[in-house]
Amino acid sequence: MVFSRNAAFFIPAVPAVLNHQEFFGWTGLKILAIIIVGTMIVIIGTAIVVDFSFYKLEKQSQPENKQ
């Protein structure tokens, strides 16, 4: 049921790929590599920011021992 509703999103992509056969060669592989590397950079950057944020929140929530 979900796939039947989302099929309309993929219909415009098919003629675009068929009109540009170079996407099936090195150009397509380069574009795919750029997309994958960019996605990994965003995922790693997000993980670092979230980890740093949790570290700061955890550090703020701990009471300081002043002796």
Side-chain angles (χ1 to χ4, degrees), residues 4 9-10 12 14 18-19 22 26 29 32 34 43 57:
S4 64
F9 293 116
F10 299 108
V14 173
L18 293 177
N19 288 337
E22 64 269 11
W26 282 110
L29 289 175
L32 182 63
I34 291 170
I43 290 171
L57 285 173

Side-chain angles (χ1 to χ4, degrees), residues 45-63:
T46 303
I48 290 170
V49 169
V50 168
D51 191 42
F52 181 73
S53 298
F54 275 114
Y55 171 76
K56 290 296 256 183
L57 285 173
E58 187 176 280
K59 191 174 179 181
Q60 286 179 356
S61 65
Q62 293 177 352

Side-chain angles (χ1 to χ4, degrees), residues 2-27:
V2 174
F3 293 116
S4 64
R5 292 182 182 174
N6 289 336
F9 293 116
F10 299 108
I11 291 172
V14 173
V17 171
L18 293 177
N19 288 337
H20 298 282
Q21 295 293 324
E22 64 269 11
F23 289 150
F24 292 110
W26 282 110
T27 304

